[in-house]
Amino acid sequence: MNHEINERKLEALRRMYPSSSRVTLLNMDDPQAPPPGTKGTVLLVDALGQLCVNWDNGSTLSLIPGKDHFSKDASGKEGPAASRKTRAPER
């Protein structure tokens, strides 16, 4: 499949889905898709405009906006499968 995206649309997706955004899968036409209702953490939006997601069930299958159906969670909090960042103690 030829999937091209212009820079304006790509930047809009990156603003809408910054790293650590939470999403919920509604439907994906892929035999390896996580089940509907699975939540995940966006790692990044790649150069093709796909959302690279770390799903809470361990999957890392990407979302394709306009093809896959998903929602952005309002909380914005990282889930259990997301890597946690720690702050170094002050000196």
Side-chain angles (χ1 to χ4, degrees), residues 28-35 61:
M28 181 187 288
D29 186 21
D30 188 308
Q32 297 179 347
L61 200 59

Side-chain angles (χ1 to χ4, degrees), residues 79-90:
S83 62
R84 304 286 186 217
K85 293 182 182 174
T86 57
R87 197 170 89 171
E90 293 184 26

Side-chain angles (χ1 to χ4, degrees), residues 1-89:
M1 169 169 47
N2 185 6
H3 182 79
E4 292 184 26
I5 187 166
N6 67 43
E7 285 299 315
R8 181 185 291 172
K9 203 172 219 181
L10 185 58
E11 286 307 314
L13 282 170
R14 288 179 174 156
R15 281 191 304 275
M16 186 177 291
Y17 299 100
S19 179
S20 81
S21 295
R22 295 285 291 164
V23 293
T24 301
L25 181 65
L26 303 176
N27 184 41
M28 181 187 288
D29 186 21
D30 188 308
Q32 297 179 347
T38 303
K39 294 184 180 291
T41 303
V42 175
L43 302 173
L44 59 91
V45 176
D46 70 14
L48 297 176
Q50 299 177 100
L51 280 63
C52 300
V53 179
N54 186 6
W55 297 101
D56 292 354
N57 70 352
S59 174
T60 56
L61 200 59
S62 294
L63 288 168
I64 302 173
K67 181 176 180 194
D68 300 322
H69 302 278
F70 58 96
S71 63
K72 182 177 179 184
D73 295 354
S75 71
K77 301 205 189 265
E78 293 182 349
S83 62
R84 304 286 186 217
K85 293 182 182 174
T86 57
R87 197 170 89 171

